[in-house]
Amino acid sequence: MKKSESILWGAVLIALGAIFALKAFDIISINIFFDGWWTLFIIVPCIIGLFTGNEKTGNLIGIFIGVFLLLCCQGILSFSLLWKLAIPVIIIVIGIKMILVAVFGKGSRALKVLENSGAEFKRGSAAFAGNEMNFDGEVFDGAELNAVFGGINCDIRGAIIDRDCVITASAVFGGIDIYAPDNINIIVNSNSVFGGVSNKKHINSPQNLHTLYVNATCIFGGVEIK
């Protein structure tokens, strides 16, 4: 657990303990188990994760859902409205996330560094379709892959990799398969909401000379490294 996360959780527990103690001495009359109290198990971790974790989008969506459920339990909003607003809000958050990642994201910065150094990187996209990308015999420095309601197969097993490289992969209601050689290390940075990155087969080794950095954003989708 990170230091900042430990501090925040410690503060939450201290505040919770203090409330119980004050209530035990009848100093305060706060009802701990108010209508919808269970939503705090969604809201509090997401708020802490918003300040301490790398995944901001999932925490924002979690806060929205938790607060909305709390308001519904309090009778301020109706549960039927939740289903009407959930999809639009998630879509809006995803759109904001994609814009921020494109402008300020780590993957974008890494690709810009490669580009400024004279490296060449590829771009591949798939929208409601599939895309096969094969780099056999080509020098591979990096790639930017975007799959929206589609799928991409990116094969770099036969590529010439003579430096560290980076793949920025965004899978929104889609999937991306990356076929990587065994003689490189792979470091994954993932921002996922109802999705994730799978890297089960590849084993890093200090003998490998170069590293592939995979910066993935998965929204109801996934990236698999094979």
Side-chain angles (χ1 to χ4, degrees):
M1 185 179 292
K2 297 179 181 179
K3 182 178 180 180
S4 57
E5 186 175 358
S6 298
I7 293 173
L8 288 175
W9 274 114
V12 170
L13 293 176
I14 291 172
L16 185 60
I19 291 173
F20 276 112
L22 293 174
K23 185 175 177 61
F25 285 102
D26 294 326
I27 298 176
I28 60 174
S29 59
I30 296 176
N31 183 10
I32 301 297
F33 299 103
F34 55 87
D35 292 339
W37 63 270
W38 52 270
T39 60
L40 295 179
F41 289 101
I42 301 175
I43 298 172
V44 173
C46 287
I47 291 176
I48 293 176
L50 190 64
F51 292 98
T52 61
N54 292 324
E55 177 46 54
K56 308 299 183 184
T57 307
N59 289 315
L60 285 173
I61 294 176
I63 292 171
F64 164 77
I65 293 174
V67 170
F68 202 102
L69 289 173
L70 176 59
L71 294 176
C72 290
C73 292
Q74 293 288 322
I76 299 174
L77 298 175
S78 64
F79 283 99
S80 61
L81 187 60
L82 173 63
W83 304 113
K84 294 179 182 179
L85 291 179
I87 298 300
V89 169
I90 290 175
I91 292 174
I92 291 172
V93 172
I94 291 172
I96 294 173
K97 168 74 173 181
M98 293 180 69
I99 293 173
L100 293 177
V101 168
V103 177
F104 303 107
K106 295 179 180 179
S108 177
R109 291 199 299 269
L111 288 174
K112 288 180 181 179
V113 170
L114 283 175
E115 188 177 34
N116 293 334
S117 67
E120 296 183 3
F121 59 90
K122 311 294 183 179
R123 286 187 172 89
S125 61
F128 298 94
N131 189 356
E132 300 285 338
M133 303 178 67
N134 191 302
F135 297 96
D136 287 353
E138 298 182 31
V139 175
F140 183 81
D141 296 317
E144 184 174 12
L145 311 175
N146 296 288
V148 181
F149 291 97
I152 297 177
N153 288 332
C154 178
D155 193 340
I156 62 172
R157 290 174 296 184
I160 301 172
I161 300 177
D162 54 8
R163 66 165 80 182
D164 290 349
C165 50
V166 60
I167 292 179
T168 296
S170 298
V172 181
F173 293 95
I176 298 176
D177 291 334
I178 300 173
Y179 296 87
D182 294 329
N183 62 344
I184 62 172
N185 294 323
I186 296 179
I187 296 178
V188 175
N189 177 44
S190 173
N191 294 304
S192 302
V193 179
F194 300 109
V197 179
S198 175
N199 182 25
K200 298 178 180 179
K201 296 175 59 178
H202 196 90
I203 300 176
N204 291 341
S205 170
Q207 297 178 352
N208 296 334
L209 297 178
H210 305 296
T211 299
L212 168 64
Y213 296 90
V214 178
N215 299 296
T217 299
C218 304
I219 312 293
F220 291 96
V223 174
E224 186 172 358
I225 303 171
K226 301 180 177 180

